Amino acid sequence: TQLVRSGARRVRMSGSGSTLFALYDDPAAARPIADLLPPGTVWMQVATLGRAEWWRAGGFDSSEGGS
């Protein structure tokens, strides 16, 4: 319920329930919420990648089909 009340745009469960995720419009607003989560909780900040960024992040280059 902390995530639901935290101002997240969306809070959803992934898979069979072992993972919850929350979407925030402002990454700076999400960081203080991470400090409120129970001990042992893994917090990761993620971002959307464009196709070219995704290929580069995977170690590929444009000669391998990324554009």
Side-chain angles (χ1 to χ4, degrees), residues 12-39:
R12 296 289 185 261
M13 180 173 57
S14 177
S16 62
S18 60
T19 302
L20 295 175
F21 64 93
L23 302 175
Y24 294 84
D25 291 324
D26 178 11
R31 185 64 199 161
I33 303 307
D35 296 333
L36 300 175
L37 297 173

Side-chain angles (χ1 to χ4, degrees), residues 9-66:
R9 185 167 28 108
R10 296 277 189 269
V11 177
R12 296 289 185 261
M13 180 173 57
S14 177
S16 62
S18 60
T19 302
L20 295 175
F21 64 93
L23 302 175
Y24 294 84
D25 291 324
D26 178 11
R31 185 64 199 161
I33 303 307
D35 296 333
L36 300 175
L37 297 173
T41 300
V42 176
W43 181 85
M44 289 190 253
Q45 182 175 338
V46 297
T48 301
L49 297 177
R51 182 183 304 258
E53 294 166 308
W54 183 86
W55 275 89
R56 281 192 301 275
F60 301 102
D61 64 28
S62 59
S63 66
E64 297 178 75

